[in-house]
Amino acid sequence: GDSVTQKEGLVTLTEGLPVMLNCTYQTIYSNAFLFWYVHYLNESPRLLLKSSTDNKRTEHQGFHATLHKSSSSFHLQKSSAQLSDSALYYCALSTGANTGKLTFGHGTILRVHP
Amino acid sequence: EAAVTQSPRNKVAVTGGKVTLSCNQTNNHNNMYWYRQDTGHGLRLIHYSYGAGSTEKGDIPDGYKASRPSQENFSLILELATPSQTSVYFCASGDPTGGSQNTLYFGAGTRLSVL
């Protein structure tokens, strides 16, 4: 079945440094849609950005990611971390085969300190 | 404002007891989902539904039942709760359009402790 791997469970950064959270996926289907969800403490998880277009950069709220189907990757990046970026980040995969179901990775906690 | 509302927000149950978690959405979405969130496992799909009267097994359905009596409501039922079901449960709604571009809208979560 489909799977998503987020190799870092915890990323700790100093404010102002660049952010990169890794996400790779496996699926037998060619029509993969990739998502990043962010879960702030005491809030509901919500969509940060999504993409289905190969090699096209997508941006939202200062974060960006590019889907690379050749390497099955969708890494989340930001040029300069802010304290308010501290949260749990999930990468997720959807394919046409499962009609709306999302497969989530284990999540990466991002902690940004002064 | 469109929303996904879960109740209760917190629940303590005894082993062997019955627990019902409720979810209501005003997004008018066809699809609804129940996930549980555990450290080291992320969000795992328990049951989902394509519309009123429909329930489908997700990836970890054992020990859980689901009910979708209407477009708006989707319940998760633990007939015989066990301590391993202690977790945070999230309900979500979504409406796939154009294939698999399914943005999920989550509720605030229910923290369940089974003692």
Side-chain angles (χ1 to χ4, degrees):
Chain A
D2 296 341
S3 67
V4 175
T5 300
Q6 294 179 249
K7 64 180 185 181
E8 307 105 350
L10 171 66
V11 172
T12 303
L13 284 174
T14 302
E15 188 177 19
L17 290 181
V19 178
M20 181 162 170
L21 307 184
N22 286 284
C23 173
T24 57
Y25 64 93
Q26 284 190 312
T27 179
I28 62 172
Y29 301 99
S30 60
N31 57 339
F33 286 76
L34 273 295
F35 305 77
W36 277 99
Y37 280 79
V38 59
H39 187 191
Y40 295 104
L41 191 62
N42 296 324
E43 296 185 12
S44 307
R46 64 172 187 260
L47 180 70
L48 180 58
L49 45 80
K50 64 182 179 182
S51 179
S52 62
T53 306
D54 198 13
N55 297 317
K56 180 180 178 181
R57 174 172 163 146
T58 183
E59 299 188 34
H60 188 61
Q61 294 184 331
F63 288 90
H64 62 92
T66 302
L67 176 59
H68 292 294
K69 293 189 177 182
S70 61
S71 58
S72 299
S73 67
F74 191 58
H75 305 320
L76 183 68
Q77 299 183 68
K78 188 177 186 185
S79 59
S80 175
Q82 298 177 291
L83 296 176
S84 58
D85 294 330
S86 296
L88 174 58
Y89 292 81
Y90 287 109
C91 184
L93 165 70
S94 179
T95 69
N98 52 23
T99 319
K101 284 171 54 182
L102 293 191
T103 299
F104 285 85
H106 289 180
T108 298
I109 297 172
L110 175 64
R111 288 196 185 136
V112 182
H113 57 84
Chain B
E1 182 178 325
V4 178
T5 306
Q6 295 181 230
S7 62
R9 293 294 314 280
N10 293 280
K11 173 74 177 178
V12 178
V14 295
T15 298
K18 182 177 181 179
V19 177
T20 300
L21 307 183
S22 299
C23 180
N24 175 276
Q25 57 110 352
T26 58
N27 297 323
N28 197 31
H29 287 156
N30 289 327
N31 292 13
M32 295 186 74
Y33 308 82
W34 276 107
Y35 285 89
R36 62 178 284 176
Q37 181 186 54
D38 303 285
T39 302
H41 292 279
L43 290 165
R44 293 181 290 173
L45 183 63
I46 306 170
H47 283 288
Y48 61 104
S49 169
Y50 292 124
S54 143
T55 61
E56 306 290 335
K57 293 181 179 179
D59 299 320
I60 53 164
D62 292 346
Y64 302 93
K65 290 172 58 177
S67 174
R68 183 86 181 271
S70 65
Q71 176 83 341
E72 296 80 17
N73 295 293
F74 189 39
S75 298
L76 185 68
I77 304 150
L78 291 65
E79 295 278 5
L80 294 170
T82 69
S84 64
Q85 294 175 313
T86 293
S87 185
V88 181
Y89 292 83
F90 286 96
C91 176
S93 73
D95 205 356
T97 56
S100 296
Q101 294 190 61
N102 188 25
T103 297
L104 297 189
Y105 297 85
F106 285 88
T110 295
R111 186 173 297 275
L112 173 66
S113 295
V114 183
L115 305 178

